[in-house]
Amino acid sequence: MTDHPNQVPAEYVPPSVWRNPWHFIAFGFGSGTLPKAPGTWGSLVALPFVPLLQALSPWLYGALLVVAAVFGCWLCGKVARDLGVHDHEGIVWDEFVGIWITLFLAPPGLGWLLLGFVAFRILDIAKPWPIRWADRHVEGGLGIMLDDLLAGVGAWGVVQGVAWVV
């Protein structure tokens, strides 16, 4: 099952994932090749990077988010074009950046990582407005990235809201 009508199922793993470094990165260092729930696997593989990012100053973490998002627009667009598809479910760099956005300025700790992961996956899967609109109407690398960037911002709000309450 795919989120986008022109999305290629993750069951098809292009051999280039293992030969082309851009494809390998876009496929989340191989996590996007797993046949069931590649977005969830990609999000999980992105989590160990969060404590490293949180060790940076908020300004540097924020700057890296911007770089990762802009790079992701190029990367995801390039790999989708290389594969001749609008999107491939195995392209999970967008989930990496989405989870990193979710946990920006979150308190450190396993509980916060879990909360951010769950909030992000719920929003990324359910795709409430405007996430669904972006997924359906924005094309290219930006289109691949935008729904996850929006899900990350929404999940960031959840995490920050819970942190503010507790």
Side-chain angles (χ1 to χ4, degrees), residues 139-155:
E139 298 293 324
L142 177 61
I144 295 170
M145 290 291 297
L146 188 57
D147 65 309
D148 292 276
L149 298 177
L150 293 171
V153 169

Side-chain angles (χ1 to χ4, degrees), residues 118-131:
V118 170
F120 175 70
R121 292 309 301 147
I122 288 172
L123 289 174
D124 189 31
I125 292 166
K127 295 194 185 317
W129 187 90
I131 300 167

